[in-house]
C-alpha cells in the first residue's frame, strides 16, 4: 500500500512539474527535469527500503519460530 501511495504522489508531483514547464516555457526545463528525476529516484529508494523491511520481518518471524527462548 505504501508503494502505491508513494508512486502516486511521485507521479502527481512530476505532473505538476511538467505543467510548470509548459506554463513558463523553456526557462524551467532543466531544473524541473532534475526535480522529476530526483522525485522518481526517491520513490525507488522508498520502494527498495519497504521491500527490505518486509523481508526482514519475515526472516525475524521465521528465526524466532525456530529458536524459541
Amino acid at each position: 500500500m505504501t508503494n502505491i501511495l508513494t508512486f502516486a504522489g511521485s507521479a502527481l508531483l512530476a505532473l505538476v512539474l511538467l505543467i510548470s514547464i509548459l506554463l513558463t516555457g523553456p526557462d524551467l526545463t532543466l531544473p524541473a527535469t532534475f526535480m522529476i528525476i530526483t522525485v522518481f529516484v526517491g520513490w525507488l529508494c522508498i520502494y527498495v527500503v519497504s521491500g527490505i523491511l518486509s523481508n526482514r520481518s519475515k526472516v525475524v518471524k521465521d528465526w524466532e519460530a525456530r529458536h524459541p527462548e
Side-chain angles (χ1 to χ4, degrees):
M1 184 68 175
T2 303
N3 294 332
I4 294 170
L5 293 176
T6 307
F7 182 71
S10 300
L12 181 65
L13 186 57
L15 183 64
V16 168
L17 290 169
L18 287 174
I19 290 171
S20 72
I21 291 171
L22 293 175
L23 293 176
T24 60
D27 295 336
L28 289 178
T29 303
L30 190 61
T33 303
F34 283 121
M35 285 184 230
I36 291 170
I37 291 170
T38 303
V39 165
F40 283 120
V41 167
W43 170 77
L44 180 64
C45 291
I46 291 172
Y47 180 77
V48 168
V49 168
S50 177
I52 289 171
L53 290 177
S54 67
N55 286 338
R56 180 187 178 275
S57 66
K58 290 177 188 174
V59 168
V60 167
K61 285 180 185 177
D62 184 43
W63 188 85
E64 287 176 349
R66 290 184 184 182
H67 301 91
E69 290 184 30

